[in-house]
Amino acid sequence: MSKEIIGTPQQYEQFCQVLEELKSVPGPVMKAMQSAQDIYGYLPIEVQSKIASTFGVSLEEVYGIATFYSQFNLNPKGKYTIGICLGTACYVKGSGAILDKFKEKLGISPGETTADRKFTLDATRCIGCCGLAPVLTVGGEVFGNLTVDDVDRILARYND
Amino acid sequence: MLERAHILVCGGTGCTSGNSKKIFTEFERILKDNKLDGEVKLIMTGCFGLCARGPIVVVYPDGTFYQHVKPSDVEEIVVEHILKGRPVERLLNKEKDEDGSVKPFNETAFYKSQHRLVLRNCGVINPENIDEYLAYDGYLAYQKAVTEMTPQEVIDVIKASGLRGRGGGGFPTGTKWQFARNSVSDKKFVVCNADEGDPGAFMDRSVLEGDPHSVIEAMMIAGYAIGADQGYIYVRAEYPIAVSRLQIAIAQALEYGILGDNAMGLGHKFNIELRLGAGAFVCGEETALLNSTEGKRGEPRQRPPFPAVKGLFGKPTLINNVETYANITSIILKGADWFASMGTEKSKGTKVFALGGKIHNTGLVEIPMGTTLRTIIEEIGGGIPNGKKFKAAQTGGPSGGCIPASLIDTPIDYDNLIAIGSMMGSGGLIVMDEDNCMVDIAKFFLEFTVDESCGKCTPCRVGNKRLYEMLDKVTKGEATMEDLDEMEALCHYIKENSLCGLGQTAPNPVLSTLRYFKDEYIAHVRDKKCPAGVCKALVSYEIDPALCVGCGLCKRGCPVGAISGEIRQVHVIDPKKCIKCGACIAACRKNAIKK
Ligand SMILES: Cc1cc2nc3c(=O)[nH]c(=O)nc-3n(C[C@H](O)[C@H](O)[C@H](O)COP(=O)(O)O)c2cc1C
Ligand code: SF4
Ligand code: SF4
Ligand code: FES
Ligand code: FES
């Protein structure tokens, strides 16, 4: 295991602190990965191996967990993540067509990031705003009662 | 009440996304400007249930219900309503009494037939302030259980109440507690399943956001009853507001000595830790959830042994759903008979549903078991929008089925829903109208399960994939009648041979739509038509020459230039170029375009 710091010194310090705190917690691996992703935005392989060695599990196990859950990212995401809800309530109200429009506009499929690293497209499950279906999120912001015509407007808002 | 008025601002997820935080801070500012901050109490609450009309603001003592409130409306509410005593008409619910006066909100159709037991504190108290929970009999049930009842008596009351698990399976809760109590071990755990995986449902989320202490208290009672001193709440990471409210609630309960080594000073230890999911539906299944709580891949375990015998970290574990727990404190305080007086013979109490889809009042509703689907849809839900016809309701999410319009008078309870080929599930209730294609809906759910299958066993991993491909063929008009029979056989094979509940129930949406909407499948297969006009491969767009006035709007709206025609002449669509996006239908003001 290399002693090199991962990411910025601040990130690395935060990461090491989390690992230290979790040493006394039963079943810590997933918690460590979640915190690491909060810190780094994704899970670089160096981060995974440090988690593995800290808690005495194999890198395969950490990697296996990372690939099992859809929320762990092995690659960095775009500046904005557009998450289109494909939960049932949104689907029956036409969120499939909205996703199609984003795919067409951005030229990427769900899970992919645009070449300029600006947008990542995600198909999400119910986020609990079904009353406003169909909905999507950009970062933490929620947009509801959408129609296909709103797509351009939303993209324009993040056009910086 | 020291204050002369209370203003409640909804802080549920729906309203928060409609900027209710800003509304709250505006109220703070403007109340202060008018020197009313000492006289009027401002409270951020959990969900009121009528999220579609959000953001919601309610003013007491009169109970005025404001809907679609914007930050810019706040000043008017303060000046007109609070200062001058005149409610702001334009923001009111439009439902009027016979005498023309506006109805108080608890008498409107949406709330009238509801019975808010689980949701009793949602939209009433500030979930981030433990004092408010305490003021509404909070932690009295725990006190009563520990000081007046033996653990076995607690379990006997839960058994006698007839409460069944609200997480989907409907297993008798008291019996489950008994199993966990009977297991002998140095360590036991109480787990709360807050993974709420059914896409399109948010009952548990609203309880956690609106009344987190009721779940914490119930887990403490369970800990006392089965002999456990540690609890875990496993909550979806997609629910940031619920997570933060739980964190606040746990911290406050610790600070007050309600949780901890000597809980409420009554001599028992109980602590709770939160664990966050990471986006895997199968983790809602209890054994997968235990693996995930241990920080591993969330694959289901073989049962038996059941969690009550060998669960978290190999120790006996009681696992219940959020809504199940939310019933416990009332049962302890008010008694088993009171609870059992509500509902049907074998399904007691109430059930919370997330009403969504093609319905006027989307939102959260809580009804006594045995209420008919008709009451939910026509009265509480306010019917189907745009003059469309009710076609089916889907319950039970990806494990459930569709209830056709002909069964709208079925009283909703566990056993009736199973009998008609659906299931209670956790409480998603999605309404569909004539514009929804039932084959497409079945395919939608199958796509979901294929995506979420953990892959551990073949019938589920491969079988559902095959089933999905067959459905896909149907929606493209490429299937034969034999394929339909084969599909049905495959459904039964998958159900019988999968390891966990996900695989065992995954074919249900297909089976139930085949049962009630066979003609729609046949239309796709034999006539190569999608009657609802959803399946793109089977619809074609045509302009009705009798209705077209040649305005050219559709031509401009078409993204691929498939429409041609001179101005004031009948326009035509070239089917070879048409991508069936529907833009022309939206553009035409004469309804001349048909699919
Ligand atoms: C695929 C699958 C997903 C499930 N998802 C959930 C869920 O999201 N929430 C839940 O409470 N129970 C869920 N369950 C049911 C749980 O396995 C378990 O029965 C339940 O948590 C027990 O609590 P209860 O007795 O209080 O209902 C799921 C089951 C299966 C098979
Ligand atoms: S039935 Fe499906 S989800 Fe369940 S264990 Fe088998 S593969 Fe995994
Ligand atoms: S928009 Fe309607 S009326 Fe106008 S040209 Fe097209 S089909 Fe005809
Ligand atoms: S289904 Fe989209 S928010 Fe619930
Ligand atoms: S979130 Fe405000 S009413 Fe449901």
Side-chain angles (χ1 to χ4, degrees), chain B residues 134-376:
Chain B
L134 288 167
Y136 281 78
D137 295 343
Y139 294 103
L140 269 188
Y142 178 72
Q143 202 171 13
K144 176 174 176 188
V146 175
T147 56
E148 297 173 22
M149 301 162 86
T150 64
Q152 187 57 48
E153 280 166 357
V154 171
I155 293 177
D156 290 340
V157 168
I158 304 298
K159 275 189 193 160
S161 74
L163 176 65
R164 293 169 68 174
R166 301 294 194 241
F171 191 82
T173 306
T175 309
K176 197 188 257 189
W177 287 29
Q178 188 73 62
F179 288 149
R181 172 166 173 76
N182 292 352
S183 293
V184 182
S185 173
D186 57 330
K187 186 91 186 162
K188 294 183 191 176
F189 295 104
V190 172
V191 173
C192 173
N193 186 342
D195 197 43
E196 193 151 61
D198 177 355
F202 55 104
M203 304 73 50
D204 296 348
R205 152 173 228 163
S206 294
V207 171
L208 296 173
E209 284 179 1
D211 196 14
H213 286 287
S214 70
V215 175
I216 294 174
E217 183 177 0
M219 290 176 72
M220 292 170 66
I221 295 170
Y224 172 70
I226 70 160
D229 62 8
Q230 177 67 44
Y232 284 91
I233 302 177
Y234 184 94
V235 53
R236 299 179 76 197
E238 288 91 336
Y239 284 0
I241 299 180
V243 171
S244 102
R245 299 246 163 97
L246 277 170
Q247 282 164 341
I248 292 169
I250 292 173
Q252 290 182 346
L254 275 171
E255 190 193 317
Y256 276 53
I258 286 172
L259 284 171
D261 290 343
N262 183 8
M264 290 187 86
L266 297 173
H268 294 273
K269 176 179 169 191
F270 201 77
N271 284 299
I272 292 182
E273 196 189 312
L274 280 189
R275 289 279 161 136
L276 266 56
F281 172 69
V282 73
C283 288
E285 195 280 330
E286 55 189 22
T287 60
L289 183 141
L290 296 177
N291 276 336
S292 188
T293 305
E294 290 176 16
K296 303 185 191 142
R297 284 166 67 96
E299 281 173 1
R301 306 173 180 171
Q302 194 88 41
R303 291 185 313 180
F306 285 92
V309 176
K310 193 165 180 281
L312 194 62
F313 302 112
K315 302 293 180 184
T317 301
L318 170 74
I319 170 163
N320 277 126
N321 161 267
V322 171
E323 192 182 330
T324 312
Y325 282 124
N327 278 296
I328 299 292
T329 56
S330 320
I331 295 175
I332 296 293
L333 288 178
K334 299 189 185 171
D337 292 343
W338 164 80
F339 188 80
S341 70
M342 288 171 285
T344 63
E345 195 195 334
K346 288 190 179 144
S347 305
K348 301 299 185 190
T350 62
K351 180 76 195 88
V352 183
F353 284 99
L355 191 57
K358 305 286 184 65
I359 183 114
H360 265 295
N361 300 329
T362 56
L364 216 56
V365 305
E366 181 172 356
I367 44 137
M369 293 276 188
T371 305
T372 64
L373 193 56
R374 187 186 293 282
T375 306
I376 300 179

Side-chain angles (χ1 to χ4, degrees), chain B residues 543-544 547-555 563 566 569-571 584 587-593:
Chain B
I543 296 175
D544 182 346
L547 292 175
C548 176
V549 296
C551 66
L553 284 175
C554 58
K555 189 167 148 186
I563 303 179
E566 296 298 318
Q569 303 285 313
V570 170
H571 283 50
C584 54
C588 179
R589 305 229 172 99
K590 295 282 168 199
N591 272 331
I593 307 179

Side-chain angles (χ1 to χ4, degrees), chain A residues 22 24-31 33-34 38 60-72 85-97 100-101 104 123-133 135-136 140-145 148-149, chain B residues 13-14 17-18 51-52 198-202 205 232 234 236-239 273-280 282-283 288 291-299 313 356-359 362-363 394 430-432 436 440-441 444-445 447-448 451-452 454 536 559 579:
Chain A
L22 286 175
S24 59
V25 171
V29 178
M30 210 168 123
K31 270 199 148 173
M33 294 167 69
Q34 287 168 324
D38 284 342
E60 287 72 39
E61 186 167 340
V62 175
Y63 184 76
I65 295 171
T67 51
F68 183 86
Y69 297 99
S70 64
Q71 285 195 345
F72 289 122
C85 179
L86 288 191
T88 321
C90 289
Y91 185 77
V92 302
K93 287 190 143 183
S95 63
D100 286 344
K101 180 92 178 196
E104 180 196 318
T124 66
R125 304 284 183 231
C126 181
I127 55 162
C129 299
C130 320
L132 308 174
V135 304
L136 64 80
E141 242 184 305
V142 180
F143 298 85
N145 294 317
V148 174
D149 298 332
Chain B
T13 296
S17 72
C51 319
D198 177 355
F202 55 104
R205 152 173 228 163
Y232 284 91
Y234 184 94
R236 299 179 76 197
E238 288 91 336
Y239 284 0
E273 196 189 312
L274 280 189
R275 289 279 161 136
L276 266 56
V282 73
C283 288
N291 276 336
S292 188
T293 305
E294 290 176 16
K296 303 185 191 142
R297 284 166 67 96
E299 281 173 1
F313 302 112
K358 305 286 184 65
I359 183 114
T362 56
Q394 211 278 349
I430 308 284
V431 179
M432 287 171 277
N436 291 110
D440 179 67
I441 292 295
F444 164 79
F445 281 115
E447 183 172 4
F448 179 90
D451 219 39
E452 296 293 346
C454 80
K536 277 192 179 178
I579 55 165

Side-chain angles (χ1 to χ4, degrees), chain A residues 7-82:
Chain A
T8 66
Q10 293 94 316
Q11 283 176 324
Y12 190 61
E13 192 188 321
Q14 231 185 321
F15 178 44
C16 291
Q17 198 185 332
V18 166
L19 294 181
E20 205 46 51
E21 283 166 12
L22 286 175
K23 278 185 182 157
S24 59
V25 171
V29 178
M30 210 168 123
K31 270 199 148 173
M33 294 167 69
Q34 287 168 324
S35 302
Q37 180 154 299
D38 284 342
I39 296 167
Y40 291 102
Y42 73 112
L43 294 175
I45 191 76
E46 301 80 23
V47 166
Q48 295 179 48
S49 40
K50 181 143 175 100
I51 291 175
S53 62
T54 305
F55 299 113
V57 298
S58 66
L59 179 58
E60 287 72 39
E61 186 167 340
V62 175
Y63 184 76
I65 295 171
T67 51
F68 183 86
Y69 297 99
S70 64
Q71 285 195 345
F72 289 122
N73 312 315
L74 297 176
N75 296 305
K77 289 208 156 190
K79 182 166 174 202
Y80 300 110
T81 297
I82 305 178

